[in-house]
Amino acid sequence: MNRSADQAATDYFRKENIDILFLHSATYFTSDMALPVHLACTVPTIVLNLQPTPQIDYDHTDTGEWLAVCTACPVPEISNAFERAGIPFQCVNGLLGLSETPAGALSDECTADRPEAVRAWKEIEEWCQAAMVQKNLRNAQFGFLGGNYSGMLDLYSDFTMLSAQTGIHIEIFEMCDLDVRLQQVTDADIKEKLCEIRKMFEIFGADSADLRVQQPEEEELCWSAKVAAAQAKMVTDYRLDAMAYYYHSTDGNPYEALQSGFIVGHSLLTANGIPCAGEADLKTALGMKICDLLGAGGSFSEIVVTDYENGTILIGHDGPFHVRISDGKPLLRRMGVYHGKRGNGISVEAKVKSGPVTLFNVTQIRDGCLKFIVSEAEAVNGPIMKIGNTQTPVRFSEAPDAYMTKWFAEAPTHHCSLAVGHIAKVIEKLGDLMHIRTVVL
């Protein structure tokens, strides 16, 4: 490749504003043909070593045919050049996965169903998903309403650090920002939200073992609907993509009543692609947003209790909940006191649907950098408490104590995002693109 061709390729990639660059080593080429482009176009690079055939026809292959399939030959040279030039890269190795053999080829190149091709293209898809998430985060607006729950040191976050490492913008709100929009809510807005609430939730009776947990009254439902309408207005006004929130008030303060209606509206927002994390846990809001962008939901969670008889750990919180990944219709209950915290109001009782799940924890370590902690597990259809909290029995590949020993050693925050499906490999790749240390347990 000559310099003019290098410049043309670089100009094209810049014009298209690409997020990731795949370099396919279709045959042997010298490393100086690729290096200038990648020096100028500094997006993440994935080298594709995808051989077209699983085996050459040894008796009939000539030099031309060999060169057509020697995809791995230049990769060490590329790797060495990129390393010395300070260009980070990853490789995907496998088969090309053609569905038919091209005319003139001497060997069978129909490899679409071969495991080496399926695996390679799955990796390529995961890199594309990771790049998509990274791009979305660079343009994301996160809201921070109120302040962290006092004393929860793991939740405190350096906003500048979060913006620098992820690209998100953080907008800080006071309760009066929400209250202004509450005053703008109309009866029609409340009616519309009530319809949305009744469609999405079951309004449940007083069958709880906790006498402080009761069936919501109509007046409380209307209040939650009004607060939900105000929350939706604020999201629209500021074009928010996620929210972290918590407010601690005093007796008689009108904002105490306002925060009592938070969970239902924030669950509605979470279900519609605007993840909301309680106790103002901004790092977990980030984890929930990543899971949501991957189509895996992501519900605000923590350890509830361990069931040693069933070999599971109950994972959940008092809300908000990601309704789109619910096992059945979530229930609304009136709580006399929230989850050990000040305040009362309507909360969500639900569990994530049975099947593969991923726990995703975003934490911060001593050097000030973010860290991803990921675990793949199975949600099982076990019993839960009827106390107005989200709870999902989760079974890990190890016994609960063995798993928790490894988990706690990684210095997680006490909250995490519970997502459906196994997405650890995508999150690993995202961590690589964002230069965030990632640990898979």
Side-chain angles (χ1 to χ4, degrees):
M1 185 179 289
N2 59 38
R3 285 296 180 185
S4 61
D6 287 342
Q7 190 60 52
T10 300
D11 290 345
Y12 173 78
F13 293 141
R14 285 174 172 167
K15 179 182 177 183
E16 295 299 318
N17 194 28
I18 64 171
D19 302 293
I20 192 168
L21 188 54
F22 293 94
L23 171 59
H24 180 205
S25 61
T27 185
Y28 178 76
F29 61 95
T30 58
S31 50
D32 73 339
M33 297 172 67
L35 184 61
V37 173
H38 294 269
L39 283 172
C41 189
T42 58
V43 298
T45 295
I46 313 297
V47 178
L48 302 181
N49 167 32
L50 302 178
Q51 188 168 293
T53 179
Q55 185 180 58
I56 60 171
D57 183 338
Y58 288 99
D59 291 334
H60 301 97
T61 294
D62 57 16
T63 302
E65 175 72 5
W66 162 57
L67 288 172
V69 299
C70 69
T71 58
C73 184
V75 176
E77 180 180 336
I78 298 166
S79 301
N80 182 268
F82 282 3
E83 164 62 24
R84 291 160 69 187
I87 298 172
F89 66 96
Q90 296 288 342
C91 290
V92 174
N93 304 297
L95 289 172
L96 186 57
L98 296 179
S99 56
E100 60 182 32
T101 298
L106 298 179
S107 304
D108 181 10
E109 297 188 10
C110 294
T111 59
D113 296 328
R114 293 269 311 203
E116 301 91 342
V118 173
R119 173 183 43 76
W121 282 100
K122 177 63 175 173
E123 283 190 62
I124 293 169
E125 180 185 8
E126 289 166 353
W127 280 115
C128 290
Q129 289 177 307
M132 174 274 295
V133 172
Q134 184 184 35
K135 179 178 182 177
N136 275 272
L137 291 179
R138 282 198 296 260
N139 299 300
Q141 290 259 91
F142 277 56
F144 186 87
L145 174 61
N148 288 116
Y149 192 103
S150 180
M152 292 183 176
L153 304 179
D154 58 324
L155 305 191
Y156 300 170
S157 297
D158 179 338
F159 292 177
T160 304
M161 175 273 297
L162 280 166
S163 294
Q165 293 185 42
T166 68
I168 66 172
H169 172 73
I170 301 165
E171 192 77 25
I172 300 174
F173 299 108
E174 301 294 342
M175 288 292 281
C176 52
D177 293 306
L178 181 60
D179 189 52
V180 166
R181 286 157 181 83
L182 187 75
Q183 309 311 317
Q184 300 169 354
V185 173
T186 65
D187 290 342
D189 293 331
I190 296 173
K191 184 177 180 180
E192 181 180 344
K193 280 297 174 186
L194 277 173
C195 290
E196 189 177 349
I197 290 169
R198 295 185 189 281
K199 182 179 179 180
M200 197 164 284
F201 299 100
E202 191 79 34
I203 314 300
F204 212 60
D207 63 339
S208 173
D210 189 336
L211 296 179
R212 293 169 297 184
V213 178
Q214 301 290 328
Q215 180 173 347
E217 297 179 357
E218 188 65 23
E219 182 180 355
E220 293 170 311
L221 287 172
C222 289
W223 177 247
S224 288
K226 184 174 183 178
V227 174
Q231 291 165 328
K233 287 179 183 293
M234 193 157 76
V235 165
T236 300
D237 289 348
Y238 288 93
R239 299 180 181 179
L240 297 180
D241 298 286
M243 170 78 76
Y245 69 93
Y246 178 70
Y247 183 72
H248 174 80
S249 185
T250 56
D251 292 334
N253 189 319
Y255 291 160
E256 181 82 352
L258 181 52
Q259 67 87 30
S260 73
F262 274 2
I263 289 178
V264 175
H266 283 145
S267 293
L268 293 176
L269 288 172
T270 299
N272 289 302
I274 314 293
C276 299
E279 296 169 2
D281 189 349
L282 197 55
K283 294 188 291 293
T284 297
L286 172 64
M288 293 167 67
K289 184 62 181 179
I290 290 169
C291 293
D292 191 78
L293 286 169
L294 292 172
S299 200
F300 186 62
S301 300
E302 67 183 9
I303 294 175
V304 176
V305 71
T306 301
D307 185 334
Y308 286 98
E309 292 292 342
N310 290 321
T312 58
I313 302 174
L314 214 59
I315 305 292
H317 211 275
D318 61 3
F321 180 70
H322 201 305
V323 181
R324 303 295 181 191
I325 60 174
S326 175
D327 181 14
K329 206 170 183 180
L331 313 177
L332 293 185
R333 294 187 187 272
R334 182 192 184 278
M335 299 182 70
V337 59
Y338 276 137
H339 192 81
K341 301 189 294 290
R342 180 183 182 85
N344 57 72
I346 298 177
S347 187
V348 179
E349 182 178 295
K351 59 182 175 181
V352 171
K353 64 184 70 173
S354 299
V357 293
T358 299
L359 266 71
F360 180 31
N361 182 270
V362 181
T363 188
Q364 183 179 358
I365 51 181
R366 187 186 308 177
D367 62 6
C369 292
L370 292 174
K371 176 181 172 183
F372 291 163
I373 307 171
V374 196
S375 309
E376 292 183 338
E378 295 287 324
V380 300
N381 189 25
I384 64 173
M385 296 176 284
K386 299 177 180 179
I387 59 171
N389 283 195
T390 69
Q391 305 151 75
T392 302
V394 176
R395 180 172 291 125
F396 298 87
S397 59
E398 299 176 285
D401 284 350
Y403 169 73
M404 288 189 290
T405 296
K406 291 182 179 179
W407 187 14
F408 301 160
E410 297 297 336
T413 59
H414 76 279
H415 294 145
C416 63
S417 174
L418 180 59
V420 295
H422 285 167
I423 57 174
K425 289 184 178 179
V426 182
I427 294 175
E428 272 191 294
K429 291 175 173 60
L430 176 64
D432 184 270
L433 295 182
M434 298 177 69
H435 308 294
I436 293 175
R437 182 186 171 197
T438 303
V439 175
V440 178
L441 300 178

